[in-house]
Amino acid sequence: MNFFWSLVPLALAAPVFAQTVAVPPLQPGRDPAQAIDEEYTSKIREYTTEPFFNSPLTDYLPASKTVPTPKAVLGDIAGAPGILPYSTDVYKYMRMLEKATSRVKVFSIGHTEEGREMIAVAVASERLMAHLDENRARLARLADPRTIQMNDAEADKLVAESTPIYYITGTIHSTETGAPTAVMELAYRLAVDDSAYIRAIRDHVITLITPIVEVDGRDRMVDLYRWHLANPGKQWPQLIYWGHYVMHDNNRDAMALTLALTRNVLNTFLSWKAQVIHDLHESVPYLYDNTVGDGPYNAWIDPILADEWEMMGWNNVSQMTKFGMPGVFTHGTFDTWSPSYLMFMAATHNGISRLYETFGNAGADTEERTLRPSEYARTWFKQNPPLPKAKWSQRDNNNYEETGLLTALSYFAANEKLFLHNFYLKAKRSIEKPRTEGPAAYVFTADDPRPGAQAELLRLLQMQGCEISRAGAPFTVLMPAKRAPGRGGRGGRGAAIPTDGAGEGATDGAAHKADEKPKPEPRTFPAGTYILRMDQPYSRIADTLLDYQYWAPNDPQKSIYDDTGWTFGELSDVQVARVTDVKVLDAAMTRVEGPVTAPGGVENTGSIFLIHHNADHALMTLRYRFPQGSFEAAEEPFEAAGQKFNRGSFIVRNVASADLAKAGQELGLKAYAVDAAPQVKTHPLRAARIALMHTWTSTQGEGWWRMEFDRLKVPYDYISTQTVAGEGNLRAKYDVIVFPPSRGNAQAIVEGMPMYGNPLPWKVTPLTPNMGKTDQTDDMRPGMGWTGLEHLHEFVRQGGLLIVANDTSNFAVTFGFTPGVSVSAGRGLKVTGSALRSKMVDAASPIAYGFTDNLAIFASNPPIFSLSNTVGGGGGGRRGGDDRTRPTGRGTADDPDVPQGRTPAEIPEEPHAETWEATPLTDEQLRNPVNVIPPAQRPRVVLRYANSNELLVSGLLDNGGELAQHAAVIDSPYGQGHVVLFSNNPFWRAETKGSYFLVFNAILNFDSLGAGRKLANR
Ligand SMILES: [Zn+2]
């Protein structure tokens, strides 16, 4: 305490801010003058399973005559067995606190997809709470040093007068159930406890708490736990839906910001000008402070942040180790590369990201827990590891969560000026980026053929807090010279697998010598070009999202935590120029006020409307906005109304011009009215009837598809594999069944879960009121079954379209939906959530309408497709095997052998095919072609993976030669219908917007997919 106050006069002297010597913490311990709540305290002891699972910070609860404890709402103490409060109870308690003490205030921060409220609770001394707005105004100036002309002396003054904000977020992961009660009790302690330790926190930090981030999922989890308690001795269902759309992946949305919870937390963090986001998770014994994590660190963060991670992480371990609590550690296996985690929004916005994994039982049962050897092993960073076996309670978990948070808050309070100064310094260094490490700006050219997609990407950057400007006149900057693709290097190790595929390695600039440094070239951007200047406080998030990622195949980190690549311009199919020339900042430009939009509406007059197809997903929204309108696709490019139109462009009739103009303005689409339709071959673009199918074993992958279908207002029926089992005539109801990746093997999709135990219902009942909203079943265990599989076959044979991707492609191939397509897994291939380059194979396929070549697609452990012209046959290209090697005999390796004593026979030419093609049929195969697939029924490749030397766009690719040139998107006819297979995942975390229209084209053209096809002559 004394020590702390001695810091204040020091803090007024500017040089002190540069210190990195941390202030030692106060000693914990209750204020002997303050009474404790005896009953509550005895319950804490009762529910804590070992004395060393508690600390001097949480082994008592101070009493208050005016402020209610969590017991007022819970009926028992925080962390009591058998009790998981719904969000409404948690909020009720926080609002009781607000009523009882002026040290607590509750703020509503928005709503979830299902309409539930999210809150943030501020706790601090009366003095700080009375001046929140003034403090926020000071923090806002530190957050944007341009407002104080980058004046360090001014910043020092602001730092001296300001109080930092530490933002704690609980329960983003719904099966991790402890945080709400832990932060209820934490708020009480911070408001009530008069010990020197807690007072120092209260007086020097504003603690901000969102007790539940995933509110929809929390309420479902409480339902599930109630079902479990009401059905003793039974197995209970897994939590198949967390949020409305995604499960665990709700913590991977910090880049694309598509979930309400992400946007609400980001807006809170940015508007409060908080310094920290500390996110609470529960999956590792007993407290893994993964803040320090492991390499490779994200390459775009300020190194000051890495230092802050170390300081806070190790202080945490140090304090809790001294309390004698086992199993507290930092480092561990979490690599700090991906910026997609909720807490990482602080890291990319000049704050500090932190994350705890404590140990939870996914509910509030007290249970004997046995750990794996790797979990209880003593390592260099885990000197006091968890116990191999221990009885573990929700209260133990709450003790760890609260103790960790209190030590962190104490350390943060003691070093408040240091962290505030760092906050300013990181913002200042972000603004100085153009002239230090660069780049100077990211530039989005006005002549991008995809203005809608460009506007959408710019709106995302605006949501991330970035300022966008627009050039009023053309401007010229020097751009780095284009390098030739590396020799096999982009495919990772083993990329240069011998291949005779045409073009492989051909783009390698053989003439390009290492000593010839390519020269920068001038590039002129037209007026109207958008510029994201990097001399702004949140330049780092823009750099993180828009730059390229490279994960070295030989990186020492082998347990890669998540995706390795995400480059937003590439995956959105939007042109993004990384400009290092600081002259760009002198271009005449003005700040864009309000969200960036693409121009739209109707030009000219006439009753027929022509709309350019550029794979903008607003086109899909438009089609379903006018389901009764007549839409046709042009099968060839054409010119009309003074415009050039791509193949696939829309020709629209029976829609009122005013209605189309209104829609066009809203959606950023331009239509050109004409009196006579152009002379071009067309076919109908249907507002197809869509079903989106999920399994009852995982909804994680399909959630991202469903979310975007909803956002783009594409109507569909949401069905499960069980629906298909019970529905004899699917074709009568649907034109298209979309079956997104489901993380299950083909057999599990058919068989479902084992049927040994009791039924596992997922249903709205009085006991489980929150379980519906998406889908329901009496028993989650059965899969599609063999009947369902037959129904699905029948659906396609009768003219339906089945769309599959990644592991559901395996399902379609395994169960005979795709004659001529085979799938293999890579032997050494490693693609861990990376962006890869594709090449156009068949631009006349309706699936390719609106696309240009070289689209970047997202893949993670992609299936490797091969094609054959025969049923059950091997593939083409590289699968040709060893038939090109010659036997032992006369001559050189390339010569033919010559049998002696007769005239040499003419050797027939070997059939040759590219890797993505089927090997042409031989005369032998055609002698009695029982297995030969008729030409019109053969699979048609739309896109393939690029050659290995240019395959990698962003992320990790190793042994890329195994995947290079193989088909990536295939249209496989089957009966009267089609199956469209994706090796990539076209809908992933809202990061792959450039790929969406491959799926939408398939849907709109489901009954004309054969358009533009050139058939083999035999
Ligand atoms: Zn978690």
Side-chain angles (χ1 to χ4, degrees):
M1 185 71 197
N2 290 341
F3 189 91
F4 194 88
W5 287 113
S6 73
L7 176 73
V8 174
L10 275 177
L12 295 171
V16 171
F17 302 143
Q19 66 167 323
T20 50
V21 180
V23 178
L26 290 162
Q27 288 311 304
R30 53 176 287 253
D31 172 13
Q34 187 176 28
I36 62 167
D37 185 324
E38 296 288 352
E39 190 204 352
Y40 199 105
T41 301
S42 75
K43 288 283 185 190
I44 293 176
R45 299 218 171 98
E46 183 186 335
Y47 299 150
T48 300
T49 58
E50 296 285 357
F52 48 74
F53 290 155
N54 212 339
S55 76
L57 289 167
T58 49
D59 65 0
Y60 70 97
L61 195 82
S64 168
K65 289 201 170 66
T66 53
V67 182
T69 71
K71 190 164 174 283
V73 162
L74 301 174
D76 203 333
I77 70 165
I83 295 178
L84 282 190
Y86 281 116
S87 59
T88 46
D89 289 331
V90 177
Y91 295 178
K92 187 172 157 195
Y93 176 67
M94 293 301 194
R95 289 190 160 118
M96 284 168 77
L97 279 182
E98 180 182 38
K99 232 177 169 177
T101 167
S102 49
R103 292 172 179 170
V104 176
K105 253 191 164 119
V106 178
F107 299 84
S108 193
I109 62 166
H111 289 82
T112 65
E113 280 77 8
E114 294 179 5
R116 293 180 181 85
E117 188 190 18
M118 289 179 69
I119 64 167
V121 183
V123 193
S125 70
E126 290 89 341
R127 186 181 63 85
L128 294 178
M129 293 300 284
H131 299 99
L132 281 180
D133 290 341
E134 295 93 316
N135 189 60
R136 188 190 307 219
R138 284 189 295 270
L139 294 178
R141 299 176 76 193
L142 289 171
D144 187 353
R146 295 173 303 181
T147 59
I148 54 170
Q149 291 74 48
M150 314 280 270
N151 183 327
D152 292 349
E154 181 67 24
D156 289 347
K157 252 193 272 169
L158 287 166
V159 166
E161 294 165 359
S162 303
T163 306
I165 298 173
Y166 195 105
Y167 187 16
I168 298 164
T169 50
T171 313
I172 186 172
H173 283 163
S174 306
T175 55
E176 302 165 10
T177 50
T181 51
V183 296
M184 285 164 77
E185 192 176 284
L186 180 79
Y188 176 87
R189 290 179 188 282
L190 289 174
V192 168
D193 196 322
D194 281 333
S195 69
Y197 194 94
I198 302 294
R199 261 189 297 145
I201 297 172
R202 193 157 66 221
D203 290 342
H204 295 277
V205 178
I206 297 158
T207 305
L208 192 63
I209 305 166
T210 290
I212 304 167
V213 172
E214 177 59 273
V215 193
D216 297 337
R218 169 66 181 191
D219 285 356
R220 272 189 271 281
M221 183 63 199
V222 176
D223 277 5
L224 187 91
Y225 187 62
R226 283 156 52 102
W227 189 93
H228 160 64
L229 292 180
N231 291 275
K234 283 193 182 169
Q235 293 159 357
W236 58 92
Q238 62 151 329
L239 195 71
I240 185 78
Y241 294 96
W242 297 13
H244 190 68
Y245 292 115
V246 289
M247 304 164 71
H248 191 266
D249 257 16
N250 59 7
N251 195 32
R252 301 293 185 274
D253 186 44
M255 291 194 277
L257 307 178
T258 46
L259 302 174
L261 62 86
T262 323
R263 289 195 299 266
N264 292 339
V265 169
L266 179 64
N267 290 342
T268 304
F269 175 76
L270 293 183
S271 65
W272 280 75
K273 309 296 172 193
Q275 281 63 54
V276 182
I277 296 179
H278 188 149
D279 200 29
L280 300 177
H281 291 252
E282 296 161 34
S283 68
V284 180
Y286 295 124
L287 190 152
Y288 171 28
D289 176 348
N290 90 351
T291 303
V292 182
D294 198 356
Y297 276 10
N298 180 280
W300 296 266
I301 57 156
D302 190 317
I304 292 172
L305 172 61
D307 180 42
E308 291 173 322
W309 283 338
E310 297 280 348
M311 292 167 70
M312 300 195 73
W314 279 109
N315 178 266
N316 225 156
V317 175
S318 159
Q319 296 309 311
M320 292 180 76
T321 300
K322 285 174 196 163
F323 295 153
M325 301 175 88
V328 179
F329 64 105
T330 190
H331 279 296
T333 53
F334 174 73
D335 70 62
T336 310
W337 176 249
S338 163
S340 63
Y341 315 104
L342 187 83
M343 48 101 181
F344 221 80
M345 296 193 299
T348 51
H349 293 83
N350 303 326
I352 302 170
S353 58
R354 306 201 71 215
L355 190 149
Y356 280 171
E357 297 281 5
T358 57
F359 197 40
N361 290 345
D365 292 359
T366 301
E367 291 182 281
E368 194 84 45
R369 297 293 300 272
T370 307
L371 305 186
R372 295 187 302 270
S374 62
E375 289 176 312
Y376 60 74
R378 189 187 59 80
T379 65
W380 67 268
F381 56 83
K382 204 194 288 187
Q383 293 293 331
N384 182 4
L387 306 178
K389 197 170 181 176
K391 190 189 251 188
W392 188 259
S393 68
Q394 172 109 318
R395 181 66 216 184
D396 296 334
N397 183 23
N398 278 193
N399 290 338
Y400 270 77
E401 284 174 312
E402 282 187 71
T403 300
L405 289 169
L406 285 168
T407 61
L409 288 166
S410 168
Y411 182 76
F412 200 70
N415 294 281
E416 58 164 331
K417 302 305 172 189
L418 169 68
F419 287 116
L420 274 179
H421 188 254
N422 280 357
F423 178 66
Y424 161 73
L425 208 53
K426 286 183 284 183
K428 186 182 168 200
R429 285 153 60 106
S430 294
I431 295 166
E432 290 168 341
K433 208 170 177 357
R435 289 179 173 83
T436 49
E437 71 268 30
Y442 280 96
V443 173
F444 303 75
T445 181
D447 54 17
D448 193 307
R450 288 168 42 77
Q454 182 190 64
E456 188 168 20
L457 178 55
L458 289 168
R459 284 198 299 274
L460 166 61
L461 291 159
Q462 288 178 311
M463 267 199 283
Q464 288 281 7
C466 296
E467 301 160 0
I468 308 292
S469 303
R470 199 162 194 199
F475 61 95
T476 302
V477 293
L478 280 181
M479 296 292 291
K482 280 209 174 66
R483 288 159 304 185
R487 201 187 310 251
R490 305 264 182 100
R493 297 174 296 195
I497 274 181
T499 169
D500 44 18
E504 182 71 79
T507 48
D508 189 40
H512 174 68
K513 295 191 186 73
D515 52 346
E516 274 178 34
K517 218 176 173 188
K519 288 194 179 64
E521 292 155 9
R523 178 169 172 191
T524 301
F525 291 92
T529 290
Y530 290 101
I531 301 169
L532 195 158
R533 306 173 61 101
M534 295 299 271
D535 54 353
Q536 57 173 301
Y538 299 138
S539 60
R540 284 185 197 284
I541 182 63
D543 206 16
T544 311
L545 297 183
L546 299 173
D547 206 350
Y548 287 77
Q549 292 77 44
Y550 181 73
W551 185 298
N554 61 355
D555 191 282
Q557 177 63 267
K558 294 305 172 210
S559 54
I560 302 171
Y561 203 82
D562 207 75
D563 291 347
T564 56
W566 50 81
T567 310
F568 268 65
E570 289 278 5
L571 288 174
S572 306
D573 198 13
V574 169
Q575 296 177 22
V576 179
R578 185 177 194 270
V579 177
T580 53
D581 182 356
V582 292
K583 257 185 63 193
V584 67
L585 302 174
D586 300 331
M589 65 180 98
T590 46
R591 265 281 292 282
V592 177
E593 303 296 337
V596 175
T597 54
V602 174
E603 299 206 354
N604 311 332
T605 53
S607 59
I608 301 169
F609 306 95
L610 310 177
I611 305 173
H612 195 58
H613 196 335
N614 61 357
D616 182 342
H617 35 252
L619 291 166
M620 187 67 170
T621 310
L622 184 82
R623 179 65 191 95
Y624 281 93
R625 184 142 165 183
F626 300 104
Q628 307 306 327
S630 156
F631 283 60
E632 288 182 298
E635 294 190 2
E636 292 301 331
F638 63 92
E639 286 186 34
Q643 304 283 323
K644 283 185 177 167
F645 290 86
N646 280 339
R647 184 186 276 120
S649 290
F650 288 17
I651 300 167
V652 181
R653 292 180 180 84
N654 301 331
V655 173
S657 181
D659 294 345
L660 190 62
K662 186 163 174 283
Q665 278 155 14
E666 282 172 32
L667 299 171
L669 289 175
K670 259 191 193 165
Y672 296 87
V674 288
D675 288 323
Q679 291 300 309
V680 62
K681 193 176 177 210
T682 65
H683 64 252
L685 283 170
R686 313 272 188 206
R689 300 166 301 164
I690 306 167
L692 196 76
M693 182 164 67
H694 71 93
T695 67
W696 282 101
T697 49
S698 174
T699 60
Q700 176 86 344
E702 63 88 8
W704 292 118
W705 294 56
R706 182 160 43 95
M707 180 184 76
E708 290 298 64
F709 276 52
D710 281 352
R711 186 174 68 87
L712 299 171
K713 299 190 169 62
V714 181
Y716 59 89
D717 277 3
Y718 188 48
I719 65 171
S720 77
T721 46
Q722 293 180 356
T723 319
V724 166
E727 178 63 62
N729 191 356
L730 290 163
R731 186 67 189 96
K733 289 175 95 165
Y734 305 116
D735 302 313
V736 182
I737 295 178
V738 183
F739 190 17
S742 81
R743 286 189 170 182
N745 64 38
Q747 197 179 329
I749 290 168
V750 174
E751 292 186 342
M753 287 179 244
M755 298 295 287
Y756 303 125
N758 49 275
L760 302 172
W762 185 273
K763 264 193 109 140
V764 175
T765 66
L767 185 69
T768 56
N770 303 292
M771 279 204 173
K773 309 277 187 194
T774 39
D775 201 0
Q776 304 194 44
T777 179
D778 289 326
D779 189 358
M780 290 164 62
R781 295 173 302 163
M784 183 182 289
W786 301 104
T787 315
L789 190 63
E790 181 49 35
H791 290 164
L792 200 56
H793 268 272
E794 202 54 32
F795 166 77
V796 181
R797 283 197 298 256
Q798 291 172 357
L801 166 64
L802 175 66
I803 297 177
V804 287
N806 196 272
D807 61 78
T808 55
S809 291
N810 287 330
F811 160 81
V813 172
T814 303
F815 288 109
F817 286 86
T818 60
V821 182
S822 60
V823 165
S824 62
R827 293 182 306 276
L829 176 68
K830 210 165 179 192
V831 181
T832 309
S834 307
L836 302 180
R837 187 71 64 205
S838 72
K839 299 297 282 184
M840 186 74 76
V841 174
D842 192 342
S845 162
I847 295 169
Y849 285 171
F851 285 92
T852 48
D853 202 359
N854 298 310
L855 179 72
I857 56 180
F858 177 89
S860 207
N861 298 318
I864 303 172
F865 294 143
S866 294
L867 265 64
S868 168
N869 289 331
T870 61
V871 172
R878 206 163 288 149
R879 307 191 124 241
D882 284 336
D883 53 1
R884 272 179 249 283
T885 60
R886 58 154 294 186
T888 306
R890 70 149 288 277
T892 68
D894 299 326
D895 288 332
D897 196 14
V898 177
Q900 303 297 301
R902 67 175 220 212
T903 315
E906 195 183 326
I907 296 171
E909 203 176 318
E910 291 282 338
H912 173 78
E914 305 292 356
T915 308
W916 61 91
E917 295 173 333
T919 312
L921 290 166
T922 63
D923 294 338
E924 289 296 305
Q925 285 173 309
L926 286 164
R927 285 179 59 214
N928 180 20
V930 173
N931 290 331
V932 169
I933 306 169
Q937 289 286 307
R938 290 178 197 161
R940 177 186 190 184
V941 176
V942 182
L943 296 184
R944 67 170 174 91
Y945 287 104
N947 301 350
S948 65
N949 65 337
E950 52 183 8
L951 182 57
L952 177 63
V953 176
S954 262
L956 167 64
L957 174 66
D958 201 5
N959 292 300
E962 293 178 21
L963 182 68
Q965 300 190 329
H966 278 270
V969 180
I970 301 173
D971 165 21
S972 187
Y974 180 53
Q976 303 297 308
H978 290 253
V979 177
V980 172
L981 306 95
F982 292 87
S983 164
N984 59 309
N985 188 349
F987 285 86
W988 179 244
R989 295 177 176 172
E991 294 168 20
T992 56
K993 297 196 174 89
S995 305
Y996 288 0
F997 229 100
L998 294 169
V999 173
F1000 292 156
N1001 271 333
I1003 291 172
L1004 296 178
N1005 296 279
F1006 81 94
D1007 57 351
S1008 302
L1009 285 173
R1013 179 157 200 190
K1014 285 197 184 66
L1015 296 178
N1017 54 11
R1018 66 178 202 172

